[in-house]
Amino acid sequence: MSFSATDIAAWSGGRVEGPDRDFTGMATLDEAVPGNLSFAGHARYAKAIKDSAAAGVICTENLPVQRRDDQTIIWVTNADLAVAQVLEHLQIPPAMPAEGVHPSAVVDPSAELGAGVRIGPQVIIEAKAVIGAGSVL
């Protein structure tokens, strides 16, 4: 999945400085590879931006940043919050078990299962448990 500097700015309320480019992943400044987006929320990290392989960096406004000409900076009010907002957009929803009870699940016969439950693999439901309608385990 790739995402652009413009996407990041829109998700985080930031502004783009430098090339508007696509990113292929996120990493810390010291672990970034070309194509990665990173972040710096404090001045102690700002010094590492220019030497990082990161293609772009989310930065808290007013950090003393030196960037390479080929790096993109996305300026935001709070880099830590912006990273959380970006990761929320990038997360892949967890796989949902199919409706019903997976064959490897163990359900005590005295348990009550509501309509539309999804009981996944290896789940154990004890005696007299009540699982509400639409629950996912």
Side-chain angles (χ1 to χ4, degrees), residues 1-82:
M1 169 184 212
S2 70
F3 46 98
S4 72
T6 301
D7 292 334
I8 301 305
W11 298 337
S12 62
R15 65 178 174 80
V16 177
E17 177 185 321
D20 184 13
R21 61 164 22 99
D22 287 341
F23 303 103
T24 55
M26 289 192 73
T28 61
L29 286 167
D30 60 337
E31 294 179 351
V33 296
N36 279 170
L37 176 68
S38 192
F39 72 101
H42 304 283
R44 68 178 173 254
Y45 301 114
K47 296 174 185 174
I49 291 171
K50 190 172 186 178
D51 295 327
S52 174
V57 183
I58 297 171
C59 292
T60 298
E61 288 283 353
N62 301 318
L63 280 183
V65 169
Q66 292 183 358
R67 69 171 179 90
R68 297 187 318 268
D69 289 341
D70 66 334
Q71 279 179 319
T72 301
I73 302 295
I74 299 146
W75 293 105
V76 297
T77 303
N78 179 325
D80 296 329
L81 175 60

Side-chain angles (χ1 to χ4, degrees), residues 96-103 105-108 111-121 123 125 129-137:
M96 290 280 271
E99 192 171 313
V101 178
H102 189 275
V106 177
V107 180
D108 187 276
E112 284 183 43
L113 302 181
V117 297
R118 296 170 183 263
I119 309 298
V123 172
I125 299 177
V130 177
I131 310 300
S135 294
V136 179
L137 302 175

